[in-house]
Amino acid sequence: MRKFELIAPCHFGMESVLKREIVDLGYDITEVADGRVTFFGDEEALCRANIFLRTAERILIKVGSFHAESFEELFQGTKTLPWEEFLPVDGKFWVAKAASVKSKLFSPSDIQSIMKKAMVERLKGIYRVSWFEENGSSFPIRVFLMKDEVTVGLDTSGDSLHKRGYRKLTAKAPIAENLAAAMILLTPWKRDRILIDPFCGSGTIPIEAAMIAANMAPGMNRSFTAQNWPHIVGKKLWYEAVDEAAELLDLNVETDIQGYDIDDEMVSIARQNAKLAGVDKLIHFQRRGVEQLSHSGKYGFIITNPPYGERLQEKSEMPALYRTIGERYRGLDAWSLYLITAYEQAEDDIGRKADKNRKLYNGMMKTYYYQFLGPKPKSRRHTDH
């Protein structure tokens, strides 16, 4: 089997969760940087990472890295990379994305066109052709420039991995599936504990929780660009990874996962999305405002993405909304509350300082993940972990 260095980009602030996921899959981490984790793996790892990782954005094969402060150095550095090991003569290849931080080269369009020229130049000499038809499989390339260090990766995923395929309909400000999964994985919630999202919108947080509870691999029902690269990874390995995912799946698990929303239409969208994800039997959705949040059970979890007051007309409603969240939370017996928000006065209005506070980026927006920790349940002999 070929050994690769694989790069898994993620939301800023999620690196430790993703690192733990990769280690749990059985792979060795080589580097953790802002917004990405790099690890060693073979062709099988490439398939399994795409299918099993909940918090990654995509999986890239690292083609190489070099230092470049000028476009000439970028051209020469790109030209020295072993493109022929990855790109067949009929491959359709392009630099899909260039990101630059604290580097002398910062124009994405210039970086993209110069790198493409350098790749063509190298492959012309190797394949002894002067023109590439590019009518075969797609090979999107992504490049990061960080302090003039260029890292080049071949994108094996295609659509971002947060697109599990179940969210056909969304709320106004949906949370990405991989961010929702990270929010859950950052808590000690287990599938035998209660979980409520009182602002469930299109259902993403309860659906991701149900998938975790059922041990459902997030990528088992979607396709990936690298499935069309038989010279790099054979079809058999993809089938084996999907079979492994199917064997681990347990839809008979007992759960108490609930999603509320004040909007009837959102509740029906959430139900449809849960059905598409195959976990509708594990979640109870209902139309209910946060002021009606209650549960007789102990040691439950609220994990939620409430409104931030981004739109001007909502700003004035935020203090009362967050005060209500605080009141309802205090009415629950020994629960924990985890919420992500960009609203600066969240702790003041909830009426308690968070035990932990973590900076996470929701898209380009800086948000805080406030963690109000309840007491741990007394240890039970037969707890399902």
Side-chain angles (χ1 to χ4, degrees):
M1 285 235 182
R2 270 170 90 173
K3 268 275 190 244
F4 300 115
E5 201 167 359
L6 298 170
I7 304 168
C10 63
H11 286 260
F12 286 104
M14 277 197 214
E15 298 84 0
S16 62
V17 192
L18 177 54
K19 179 184 169 186
R20 191 172 74 220
E21 277 200 277
I22 292 166
V23 169
D24 287 349
L25 271 186
Y27 303 115
D28 294 330
I29 307 289
T30 58
E31 187 195 5
V32 179
D34 280 351
R36 65 182 198 265
V37 180
T38 307
F39 61 103
F40 278 127
D42 53 17
E43 295 109 309
E44 182 187 73
L46 188 157
C47 303
R48 293 180 74 234
N50 271 300
I51 288 168
F52 286 98
L53 292 178
R54 296 182 192 280
T55 59
E57 281 286 314
R58 54 188 69 249
I59 303 299
L60 312 173
I61 297 173
K62 185 175 174 179
V63 180
S65 57
F66 54 89
H67 188 84
E69 296 182 30
S70 68
F71 285 124
E72 179 58 26
E73 286 176 337
L74 180 70
F75 182 90
Q76 295 303 338
T78 304
K79 198 178 159 188
T80 59
L81 298 177
W83 292 107
E84 63 282 0
E85 289 180 18
F86 304 101
L87 307 178
V89 69
D90 66 345
K92 178 178 190 246
F93 58 96
W94 72 103
V95 179
K97 182 150 197 245
S100 174
V101 180
K102 297 178 183 162
S103 297
K104 294 187 181 62
L105 304 177
F106 55 80
S107 158
S109 57
D110 290 338
I111 292 165
Q112 287 165 301
S113 64
I114 282 162
M115 288 183 71
K116 168 82 184 204
K117 278 187 194 130
M119 291 154 68
V120 167
E121 205 54 40
R122 179 179 178 101
L123 293 174
K124 267 185 188 172
I126 284 162
Y127 289 129
R128 307 203 183 287
V129 294
S130 57
W131 177 256
F132 290 92
E133 291 283 341
E134 298 200 43
N135 55 4
S137 298
S138 294
F139 293 84
I141 288 133
R142 293 187 160 237
V143 58
F144 315 97
L145 282 78
M146 177 70 181
K147 294 182 182 165
D148 303 317
E149 284 301 311
V150 184
T151 304
V152 186
L154 187 58
D155 180 8
T156 71
S157 305
D159 278 344
S160 169
L161 294 180
H162 78 263
K163 294 186 175 168
R164 323 288 205 213
Y166 65 73
R167 205 165 70 180
K168 299 289 183 246
L169 302 154
T170 61
K172 272 194 226 106
I175 191 162
E177 294 88 329
N178 53 355
L179 180 54
M183 285 170 62
I184 298 160
L185 294 174
L186 280 166
T187 78
W189 178 77
K190 292 278 185 285
R191 63 192 194 172
D192 61 343
R193 306 275 288 275
I194 308 153
L195 187 152
I196 296 179
D197 178 1
F199 300 94
C200 76
S202 50
T204 310
I205 291 173
I207 291 169
E208 290 294 321
M211 287 168 73
I212 291 167
N215 220 351
M216 179 185 281
M220 68 186 288
N221 295 315
R222 55 158 285 177
S223 57
F224 308 96
T225 307
Q227 285 171 308
N228 298 313
W229 303 350
H231 62 297
I232 293 176
V233 54
K235 287 254 190 288
K236 182 169 175 278
L237 290 171
W238 289 104
Y239 293 137
E240 284 171 2
V242 172
D243 287 348
E244 180 190 353
E247 276 168 33
L248 292 168
L249 182 62
D250 174 14
L251 288 168
N252 296 318
V253 59
E254 290 285 316
T255 57
D256 186 348
I257 299 170
Q258 302 185 29
Y260 309 155
D261 203 277
I262 200 157
D263 181 343
D264 261 330
E265 192 191 354
M266 277 293 107
V267 174
S268 88
I269 285 173
R271 283 194 185 118
Q272 282 171 266
N273 288 341
K275 203 175 169 80
L276 284 168
V279 292
D280 48 317
K281 307 268 191 304
L282 305 180
I283 311 169
H284 175 65
F285 288 110
Q286 60 174 300
R287 182 186 177 279
R288 195 193 263 212
V290 66
E291 68 285 350
Q292 295 173 289
L293 172 58
S294 66
H295 197 292
S296 58
K298 283 183 79 147
Y299 306 116
F301 287 75
I302 300 166
I303 304 179
T304 193
N305 173 38
Y308 306 167
E310 286 308 298
R311 286 185 282 277
L312 274 176
Q313 67 269 31
E314 293 172 355
K315 271 233 178 335
S316 59
E317 298 163 17
M318 290 303 107
L321 180 72
Y322 281 77
R323 276 200 298 275
T324 305
I325 293 171
E327 282 159 17
R328 299 318 300 163
Y329 173 50
R330 283 189 290 280
L332 293 162
D333 188 0
W335 279 50
S336 300
L337 164 64
Y338 293 80
L339 66 86
I340 189 169
T341 184
Y343 175 58
E344 298 286 346
Q345 276 78 53
E347 288 172 302
D348 294 344
D349 292 337
I350 286 168
R352 174 177 157 184
K353 191 156 172 41
D355 300 289
K356 288 184 183 171
N357 174 7
R358 192 183 187 107
K359 209 186 290 177
L360 287 179
Y361 279 81
N362 186 359
M364 296 310 292
M365 192 190 297
K366 184 169 80 174
T367 59
Y368 294 96
Y369 190 36
Y370 294 109
Q371 304 168 49
F372 301 88
L373 311 179
K376 287 182 179 158
K378 297 180 180 52
S379 69
R380 291 170 290 178
R381 282 249 162 99
H382 302 291
T383 307
D384 181 1
H385 283 287

